[in-house]
Amino acid sequence: MVGATADADAAFEAAKNLAARRGFRYLPAAEVAKLPTQEIIDRVQAVMKRSKPRQPDMIEAAALLGGAAPAIPTVSKALDTYWSISDAKLTGKSKDQIRRWENPRKKAVAGFIKAVSDLRIDEITTEDLYGFRSHLARRVAAGEIVASSANKDLIHLLSVIEDVARAKSIKLRFDRTKLMLKEDEAGHRPPFTPDWIRDKLLAPGALDGLNPEARAILLGMVNTGYRPSEGAMLTADQIKLDVPIPFISIEPVGGRSLKTKHSKRIIPLVGVSLQAFKAFPNGFPRYADNPSLSATVNKYLSENGLLQSDKHSFYSLRHSFEDRMLAAGVDERIRRDLMGHALQRMRYGDGAAMKHLQDVVAKIAF
């Protein structure tokens, strides 16, 4: 009775289960035809054992001779399936992190459907993908998006389609070779120069109109280079002020995961960053799981003439911290440890001592 359902996916699963109960592995008809003759005969005989005279049982035949087939989803339906097979990727993520993980994939799928069509994924050709690529390239040329954003759309779309196809044993037709657009430095967020930070961002009263928590996170970023989301998620347990060398510990907090395994780190607090955390020793509840931080800060900086160029943003403070370390000749291992970047060689030992890290940061701090 389960095998008789009209739902193609359920019928396909039922066919596989039925084949297993009869002692066979389910194979598509084309693969059954390639089996040794005796195994084909065995399968046919197993079907006929449960058939009425002169009337083969078609459900048995579908299971043992490969007549069942999974429903092939369209791109939009594939996205629905993608969520269900991606549970492991979402382990440890907060609701906001899940939202930010899902939205780019929704955007990529919607963009493909609008530019091409809501095709069945086994019908998508290389020409279709290049059609979407051309659509994205025109948007890049018009200045609507940058090449790196277009490539992210392509990567997310392919991830959805290929992961679903792999999970459902669906054969795809397209070739993804050389699909990505060439990227230049247009999408790179340049660093604030030290003079700009000192004379503009840290000028008396420059940040007074920014709400206190957002201002403190920004000032904390000046001498730590943390990602805005890393600063926002800090709590009293990760902000260590009553110790000989104050520091913050970047680690998973409250169900939120870090960007990479290398992101876990400690950073000493000095200068304006230390003062900012002294004002908020328990963290920033307003932004602990709130995606509006960057938009709020960028809007304030833009409206108050505090962005060095139209390519700069709040995130440019992170790049500035790294560039200042580079200019000061800080060892690569220490730079990467403080930034939370992977080291392109084997790591030995525990890294620099806290006092040494404090000295390094103090030399470039404001």
Side-chain angles (χ1 to χ4, degrees):
M1 291 177 68
V2 174
T5 179
D7 183 273
D9 278 333
F12 181 61
E13 289 302 315
K16 291 196 295 184
N17 292 335
L18 181 56
R21 288 201 300 272
R22 302 294 185 248
F24 297 95
R25 177 188 170 203
Y26 177 84
L27 294 171
E31 297 298 318
V32 172
K34 298 176 183 178
L35 293 172
T37 302
Q38 186 57 53
E39 186 168 342
I40 297 175
I41 292 173
D42 292 343
R43 286 175 178 252
V44 171
Q45 289 178 338
V47 170
M48 299 310 294
K49 281 181 182 179
R50 292 171 175 79
S51 300
K52 298 177 183 179
R54 307 169 74 92
Q55 186 179 350
D57 186 310
M58 299 312 294
I59 293 178
E60 294 281 342
L64 304 186
L65 302 181
I72 308 297
T74 62
V75 178
S76 60
K77 293 296 184 183
L79 184 61
D80 293 336
T81 302
Y82 183 75
W83 305 138
S84 67
I85 64 175
S86 301
D87 290 347
K89 297 179 182 180
L90 304 180
T91 301
K93 293 187 182 296
S94 68
K95 288 183 179 179
D96 181 55
Q97 287 178 312
I98 292 173
R99 180 190 62 80
R100 285 187 285 166
W101 181 85
E102 289 180 347
N103 282 350
R105 289 151 181 85
K106 292 178 181 177
K107 173 175 169 285
V109 167
F112 178 83
I113 292 171
K114 182 177 179 180
V116 183
S117 181
D118 193 9
L119 300 172
R120 270 181 22 181
I121 63 173
D122 65 329
E123 295 176 339
I124 296 173
T125 65
T126 305
E127 184 178 1
D128 292 325
L129 289 181
Y130 270 84
F132 184 40
R133 181 185 190 274
S134 296
H135 166 75
L136 294 171
R138 288 192 293 271
R139 294 191 64 198
V140 171
E144 297 176 9
I145 57 174
V146 296
S148 60
S149 294
N151 284 338
K152 286 178 182 177
D153 278 1
L154 290 165
I155 291 168
H156 291 318
L157 175 71
L158 290 170
S159 175
V160 169
I161 294 171
E162 292 174 343
D163 284 8
V164 170
R166 191 175 301 112
K168 289 186 165 290
S169 301
I170 297 170
K171 187 173 182 180
L172 300 174
R173 298 172 55 187
F174 58 76
D175 179 2
R176 51 143 61 204
T177 305
K178 297 183 179 179
L179 187 63
M180 299 297 117
L181 296 171
K182 183 178 180 181
E183 296 184 21
D184 53 26
E185 292 301 309
H188 175 68
R189 291 295 182 188
F192 289 114
T193 62
D195 286 348
W196 187 271
I197 294 174
R198 181 182 59 251
D199 300 335
K200 296 290 185 179
L201 296 178
L202 300 183
L207 301 176
D208 285 355
L210 193 58
N211 76 74
E213 287 191 30
R215 180 171 64 246
I217 295 172
L218 183 154
L219 293 172
M221 192 173 176
V222 170
N223 295 328
T224 64
Y226 54 50
R227 299 175 179 91
S229 60
E230 292 174 338
M233 68 191 284
L234 292 169
T235 70
D237 290 336
Q238 289 78 46
I239 301 170
K240 305 295 185 181
L241 301 177
D242 297 326
V243 292
I245 300 177
F247 69 94
I248 53 174
S249 176
I250 306 297
E251 58 189 74
V253 176
R256 297 188 60 161
S257 60
L258 298 179
K259 185 173 183 180
T260 71
K261 65 180 182 180
H262 306 288
S263 297
K264 186 175 181 179
R265 62 200 188 279
I266 56 173
I267 310 173
L269 293 171
V270 300
V272 297
S273 297
L274 175 58
Q275 295 309 310
F277 277 99
K278 283 183 176 180
F280 288 91
N282 296 316
F284 312 97
R286 178 171 180 170
Y287 293 106
D289 196 20
N290 185 335
S292 68
L293 172 64
S294 289
T296 298
V297 174
N298 283 326
K299 183 174 185 290
Y300 180 85
L301 296 179
S302 177
E303 291 178 347
N304 290 274
L306 297 175
L307 292 178
Q308 198 166 350
S309 76
D310 59 3
K311 294 182 180 179
H312 283 74
S313 74
F314 180 24
Y315 205 87
S316 296
L317 282 171
R318 176 167 164 81
H319 297 312
S320 175
F321 181 70
E322 184 172 27
D323 275 15
R324 279 148 48 210
M325 286 194 291
L326 185 63
V330 176
D331 175 76
E332 180 193 14
R333 167 71 184 269
I334 294 176
R335 293 201 316 268
R336 290 183 175 274
D337 284 351
L338 287 171
M339 293 295 293
H341 288 159
L343 185 65
Q344 303 304 315
R345 57 180 171 82
M346 183 67 72
R347 287 180 184 270
Y348 296 101
D350 296 326
M354 181 67 81
K355 181 63 173 71
H356 185 52
L357 291 178
Q358 182 189 46
D359 291 343
V360 165
V361 175
K363 288 179 182 179
I364 62 166
F366 292 96

